[in-house]
Amino acid sequence: MAQVFHRHPSSSLLATDGKPHPLQDTLMVVTLVLGALAFITAQFHGLHLLSSWAGLIGIVTGAYGQYVSETTRQRTFLIIGLGAAAVGFFLGMARGGLFGGLIG
């Protein structure tokens, strides 16, 4: 019964196994920021370049983050960021795309 009273030395929001994960946490934060940026800028028709590029980079970053993630919380936040990045990317593509208005 001694294990019941054992406290984890690190009860961080991002590392549930008690170990530091600087690469995974950085990828998670970058994916969340790019996903939020892509989602918010996708609501404005004139910002389709920003939303489509931020969404594309957020999708790639989130996919690699999922590949190297080690904790459930990292995977959860990566999925939220990936979803927002994908919505922003697809709305940006529908409204002009990655190069819309720049080429041709």
Side-chain angles (χ1 to χ4, degrees):
M1 286 303 278
Q3 69 270 17
V4 174
F5 296 106
H6 180 68
R7 298 191 69 165
H8 294 288
S10 172
S11 59
S12 171
L13 176 66
L14 304 178
T16 57
D17 60 353
K19 299 176 190 172
H21 303 288
L23 172 67
Q24 292 83 356
D25 292 342
T26 303
L27 289 170
M28 180 187 64
V29 170
V30 168
T31 302
L32 283 169
V33 169
L34 288 172
L37 177 68
F39 184 79
I40 291 169
T41 57
Q43 309 307 315
F44 304 98
H45 291 280
L47 297 177
H48 62 85
L49 288 172
L50 181 59
S51 65
S52 58
W53 279 106
L56 180 62
I57 296 169
I59 290 170
V60 170
T61 305
Y64 182 68
Q66 281 285 30
Y67 180 69
V68 298
S69 66
E70 296 187 13
T71 65
T72 303
R73 289 185 180 159
Q74 290 169 355
R75 293 181 190 112
T76 301
F77 288 123
L78 280 167
I79 289 296
I80 292 169
L82 270 167
V87 169
F89 173 72
F90 290 129
L91 286 175
M93 291 299 289
R95 293 180 177 156
L98 297 169
F99 302 106
L102 295 179
I103 297 177

